[in-house]
Amino acid sequence: MIRPVLYVDLPGIIYAIDHRARSKQHEFANFVCWQEPDESLVTPPPILRNIFPLNPATRTWICEDHWRILGFAQVRERPARTMWDIAYLASMAHRNVAGDEVLNVLLEHILEMAAVHGMLRIFAKVEDEVPELDLFHRSGFQRYARELTYIYEPERPLATNEPVLPSLRRWNRHHVWGLYQLYRSVTPPKVQMAEMVESSEEFAKMNVGPLNSLPALFKQSDENYVCDVGVRIGAWLRLRRGHGSTPHRLCLMVHPEHTELAEPLLRFGIRRLQEGNVRRISCLVREYDSFVITALRNSGFEQADTKDLLVRHMALLAMRQSTVPLLEQRAVYGLKGLGTVNSRQKIMR
């Protein structure tokens, strides 16, 4: 049986338990999709986040048998409110039911709920070449990019020369449109088609956070910088300080015509993050950002992980003739997938 869970961030709690169990060579759950504690841009403190339902855009379901949890799933709504990210998808270890069967049931339930709530796309991050990828492919998910994780160890010596960045500015709300244009200049067309970020404000909310002021209780310790080169934003840098066992997080985007900004920005970010607390630094970069990857390697970062970025395009059911106006009584649309899957959709009147 699958049922929703309210009021408690159960996947986050189980993920923390599993992380602790794995440090002692035990397995508590098999996570196919998960989000690190610092991946959510604006969240309340962990205690409040795990007890109170302060994020109505999050939906959680569990698969259970006679009150025993077999697996669980959680999705988070994007700012456009027409897309979901699969935040967690996992099966519990040491159960009588096969893990693949539980994951498949949960994944199909997510797709069913997405259709009910009018979602247009569902996104997921899955480790590259894991067996569970077949479950997503059979459910119609397609890979549109790969995301690489690079790690910087603090014991590595950093170059002594200070980076010179005369165009560096603190993030301001009037940079929203420029940041969106930077994304469009860096991102390949097929990835833009998959993600369908339709406005500059939506992109800024997903990457920088809410554009309005928030109470201090809900603010993250993020720092955002841009390199304003006059006619455009040449680069964007986000710094997020880690807490507890989580590393610092760094995110970088550089315009193809200003690749010389990448290494100075990385050196600036490393120095800034290590000022208050020396710890590991992680950076997520996509495989097509070749010059950013080169700058990471030159700055002492090493690749640690690879994840596939998947998307599932949903179809909305037309209940009235006026919903889909056609000139002919019968129309056929050919939808070529972003990967290797071709699909056809028929609409009859």
Side-chain angles (χ1 to χ4, degrees):
M1 181 181 71
I2 296 179
R3 65 179 178 88
V5 176
L6 304 176
Y7 309 117
V8 176
D9 184 15
L10 181 64
I13 295 173
I14 296 179
Y15 180 81
I17 296 174
D18 180 72
H19 185 73
R20 184 176 181 83
R22 288 179 185 273
S23 66
K24 299 180 180 180
Q25 308 302 317
H26 297 291
E27 184 183 22
F28 191 73
N30 174 31
F31 281 84
V32 179
C33 299
W34 71 91
Q35 287 193 344
E36 298 295 341
D38 62 342
E39 285 192 38
S40 184
L41 281 174
V42 178
T43 58
I47 295 178
L48 296 179
R49 185 174 66 243
N50 291 334
I51 296 178
F52 299 105
L54 297 177
N55 188 0
T58 298
R59 300 177 185 273
T60 305
W61 302 275
I62 63 171
C63 178
E64 62 180 5
D65 179 37
H66 295 90
W67 302 100
R68 295 183 63 194
I69 299 178
L70 302 178
F72 51 87
Q74 184 182 90
V75 296
R76 294 177 183 174
E77 192 175 87
R78 292 197 173 186
R81 308 191 69 178
T82 58
M83 306 176 196
W84 280 350
D85 284 296
I86 300 181
Y88 292 97
L89 179 64
S91 60
M92 302 302 293
H94 311 299
R95 293 292 187 264
N96 296 329
V97 182
D100 287 351
E101 183 178 345
V102 173
L103 294 172
N104 185 64
V105 170
L106 285 167
L107 194 55
E108 292 300 324
H109 186 76
I110 290 175
L111 297 178
E112 181 182 347
M113 290 297 100
V116 170
H117 289 90
M119 295 296 111
L120 301 181
R121 285 171 177 80
I122 303 176
F123 297 91
K125 289 183 184 182
V126 183
E127 283 189 308
D128 193 26
E129 298 182 355
V130 295
E132 290 81 4
L133 270 174
D134 290 338
L135 297 176
F136 287 87
H137 292 156
R138 289 198 297 268
S139 298
F141 282 82
Q142 303 172 43
R143 186 186 69 205
Y144 64 91
R146 284 191 176 96
E147 185 179 75
L148 314 178
T149 301
Y150 277 81
I151 299 294
Y152 176 84
E153 298 292 348
E155 60 266 18
R156 290 196 178 95
L158 191 63
T160 56
N161 57 319
E162 291 290 336
V164 178
L165 293 164
S167 60
L168 190 64
R169 303 285 186 272
R170 279 275 191 171
W171 164 265
N172 190 284
R173 198 183 190 284
H174 72 260
H175 293 129
V176 167
W177 185 84
L179 180 61
Y180 181 58
Q181 297 307 310
L182 176 62
Y183 161 79
R184 289 173 59 88
S185 66
V186 170
T187 309
K190 76 167 188 177
V191 179
Q192 295 185 42
M193 186 186 304
E195 295 182 323
M196 285 297 292
V197 182
E198 298 179 350
S199 71
S200 57
E201 292 201 356
E202 177 189 350
F203 182 78
K205 288 176 182 179
M206 290 172 56
N207 292 273
V208 179
L211 304 180
N212 57 332
S213 59
L214 291 174
L217 179 65
F218 299 101
K219 285 187 178 179
Q220 291 282 343
S221 56
D222 286 8
E223 295 180 14
N224 285 272
Y225 299 89
V226 296
C227 284
D228 191 347
V229 294
V231 296
R232 64 172 67 94
I233 290 181
W236 164 69
L237 175 69
R238 185 184 70 214
L239 306 177
R240 178 172 300 160
R241 289 174 171 79
H243 301 279
S245 61
T246 60
H248 296 313
R249 178 64 60 84
L250 181 150
C251 186
L252 176 65
M253 190 184 303
V254 181
H255 194 281
E257 296 182 8
H258 301 279
T259 58
E260 73 281 355
L261 296 172
E263 289 191 39
L265 270 175
L266 281 174
R267 293 199 301 271
F268 169 80
I270 294 171
R271 292 181 184 278
R272 186 73 177 170
L273 288 172
Q274 302 290 19
E275 283 177 357
N277 187 359
V278 177
R279 63 174 65 206
R280 301 170 74 198
I281 302 174
S282 68
C283 179
L284 301 180
V285 59
R286 295 184 176 181
E287 59 182 350
Y288 50 79
D289 288 336
S290 57
F291 46 88
V292 175
I293 293 174
T294 301
L296 286 169
R297 292 172 177 169
N298 293 340
S299 301
F301 284 78
E302 293 185 358
Q303 185 177 346
D305 190 19
T306 302
K307 286 188 177 181
D308 290 350
L309 302 182
L310 309 176
V311 63
R312 171 62 150 83
H313 299 267
M314 305 296 297
L316 295 179
L317 180 64
M319 302 300 295
R320 300 191 304 271
Q321 290 188 355
S322 60
T323 305
V324 185
L326 299 174
L327 298 177
E328 301 293 338
Q329 293 297 316
R330 179 177 181 274
V332 179
Y333 294 96
L335 304 176
K336 186 175 182 181
L338 298 174
T340 59
V341 180
N342 293 330
S343 60
R344 295 185 67 84
Q345 178 185 15
K346 294 184 179 180
I347 301 177
M348 304 294 295
R349 290 192 63 185

